[in-house]
Amino acid sequence: MTQISKAQAFREASFGFLTQTLARVFDSKMRAELKKAGIDHRVFANLMMLSEEDGINQRQLGKALKFPEYSVSRNLDIMVSLGLAERRPDPDSRRAFLVYLTDSGRETAQRLPEIITRINDEVLEGLDAQERQQVIGLLRRVMKPGLENMS
Amino acid sequence: MTQISKAQAFREASFGFLTQTLARVFDSKMRAELKKAGIDHRVFANLMMLSEEDGINQRQLGKALKFPEYSVSRNLDIMVSLGLAERRPDPDSRRAFLVYLTDSGRETAQRLPEIITRINDEVLEGLDAQERQQVIGLLRRVMKPGLENMS
DNA sequence: CACCAATACTTGCAAATGTAAGTTATGTAA
DNA sequence: TTACATAACTTACATTTGCAAGTATTGGTG
């Protein structure tokens, strides 16, 4: 029986620690791959989300991705300047915008799944197919409860 | 049967997306709690890691947490300036330092588990005890393979 | 031992991020 | 109908980060 200190057991058993650490790995790999593909790494999460659902406002976009709203605001500025997305006035509220992908944004978004899949496969190499399904299913459940939004 | 677009199924099935999103949630909650506790949020990961194991060099510290080495370097500057850690020369190599917590660092580190546990419980509220064990176990396995280190 | 590559760590600079405060528009309730 | 809180979004400023290039030391190879 190998000796494991309390602290070690604790850190390795922290869900937050684990997700932060793995998120760093995913992020740095994504940056490198997106650079190769000529896609701006700053916008990939929003791009992916909008390709799933457009015509939502910035708040909703931020909530889905757990991004603070100032971050959505800035990322959208970038996407608009790159011609990937556009803000249209919300007919129901003059203070909100509805966000839509442009054709170019949609085309760019289509190139993402291949990259994301490849990197996920790299990161998940230690798990078999069933375990991958399992961990993904559990993480999705963690997301569900709403997890009150960011600042 | 509710209609789910391919894109949605895809994003929600991306391990990387899920960990990044959940890491953002954990991070923002940790920041708020650490601020209340008067602990510098920049150093908490290193502090926790070092309370588990000291006397390692900066490379090893970075590798364990998947931090790039420049980040370890700067975080240690902060920890040293706050009196939480110290760099001692490595007797085996003049280019390396061995990092140790000070007494103050150790005391501070002792206050972390309570905070981390509380936030993990908040984030994981959607899962029962068994599922928590399960997801943590799987995430640990993902960490294992080495996941070649950062830049 | 002379060379070159790799290791361990640091740093200048540009880019990105968090905080807090701002604007404008809506909802509510006296 | 005015007043006051909240919603949706933006921005100035300071802090933090990533990248790329730097130093110094060590390990190997001919």
Side-chain angles (χ1 to χ4, degrees):
Chain A
M1 185 123 244
T2 59
Q3 200 202 341
I4 294 179
S5 74
K6 250 186 189 160
Q8 175 162 31
F10 178 80
R11 185 185 60 93
E12 288 201 355
S14 164
F15 178 80
F17 251 99
L18 290 163
T19 52
Q20 281 197 326
T21 307
L22 292 169
R24 273 195 290 278
V25 174
F26 183 74
D27 182 57
S28 87
K29 286 176 181 287
M30 277 304 288
R31 274 172 186 255
E33 289 305 306
L34 289 171
K35 189 172 186 180
K36 283 185 208 161
I39 300 174
D40 194 308
H41 76 270
R42 295 171 294 180
V43 304
F44 104 87
N46 286 321
L47 201 52
M48 201 64 231
M49 179 66 201
L50 288 169
S51 80
E52 163 189 322
E53 190 180 5
D54 263 315
I56 57 178
N57 70 28
Q58 300 185 199
R59 272 252 158 137
Q60 293 168 319
L61 181 53
K63 199 171 176 197
L65 295 168
K66 314 289 183 202
F67 272 123
E69 53 181 358
Y70 68 79
S71 158
V72 174
S73 181
R74 295 202 271 229
N75 277 324
L76 270 181
D77 286 348
I78 294 169
M79 293 181 75
V80 169
S81 77
L82 295 175
L84 300 171
E86 54 186 26
R87 287 187 247 234
R88 299 186 201 156
D90 180 344
D92 296 335
S93 169
R94 279 191 299 161
R95 72 192 156 188
F97 293 108
L98 300 186
V99 183
Y100 289 88
L101 285 189
T102 61
D103 289 344
S104 159
R106 218 166 291 281
E107 279 163 35
T108 306
Q110 276 173 8
R111 301 196 286 131
L112 291 174
E114 184 275 322
I115 298 171
I116 296 172
T117 301
R118 187 152 35 84
I119 294 183
N120 278 323
D121 283 349
E122 254 177 74
V123 173
L124 290 173
E125 67 171 342
L127 303 188
D128 67 32
Q130 194 191 343
E131 290 166 329
R132 292 178 191 197
Q133 282 314 308
Q134 215 176 2
V135 72
I136 287 166
L138 288 163
L139 292 176
R140 275 160 98 142
R141 300 252 320 280
V142 177
M143 292 277 299
K144 293 299 174 192
L147 279 179
E148 65 271 29
N149 35 346
M150 315 281 80
S151 73
Chain B
M1 184 122 246
T2 59
Q3 202 202 340
I4 294 179
S5 74
K6 251 185 191 161
Q8 176 161 31
F10 178 80
R11 184 185 60 92
E12 288 200 356
S14 164
F15 179 79
F17 251 99
L18 289 162
T19 51
Q20 282 198 325
T21 307
L22 291 170
R24 274 196 289 280
V25 174
F26 184 72
D27 182 57
S28 86
K29 285 176 182 288
M30 277 304 288
R31 275 170 187 257
E33 289 306 306
L34 289 171
K35 188 172 185 178
K36 281 185 209 161
I39 300 174
D40 194 307
H41 75 270
R42 296 171 294 180
V43 304
F44 103 87
N46 285 321
L47 201 52
M48 201 64 229
M49 177 67 201
L50 288 169
S51 81
E52 165 189 323
E53 190 181 4
D54 279 296
I56 57 179
N57 71 27
Q58 299 185 200
R59 271 254 155 132
Q60 295 168 318
L61 182 51
K63 198 171 177 197
L65 296 168
K66 315 287 183 202
F67 273 123
E69 54 181 359
Y70 68 78
S71 159
V72 174
S73 181
R74 293 203 271 229
N75 277 324
L76 271 182
D77 286 348
I78 294 168
M79 292 182 75
V80 169
S81 77
L82 294 175
L84 300 170
E86 55 186 24
R87 287 188 247 235
R88 299 188 202 154
D90 180 343
D92 296 335
S93 169
R94 278 189 300 160
R95 72 193 158 189
F97 294 107
L98 300 185
V99 184
Y100 289 87
L101 286 188
T102 61
D103 290 345
S104 159
R106 218 165 290 281
E107 279 164 33
T108 306
Q110 277 173 7
R111 301 196 285 131
L112 291 173
E114 184 276 321
I115 299 172
I116 296 173
T117 301
R118 186 151 37 82
I119 295 185
N120 277 324
D121 283 349
E122 256 178 74
V123 172
L124 290 172
E125 67 170 342
L127 304 187
D128 66 32
Q130 195 192 342
E131 290 166 328
R132 292 179 191 197
Q133 282 314 305
Q134 214 174 2
V135 73
I136 287 165
L138 288 163
L139 292 176
R140 275 160 98 142
R141 300 254 319 279
V142 178
M143 294 274 300
K144 293 298 173 191
L147 279 179
E148 65 272 30
N149 35 346
M150 316 281 77
S151 73

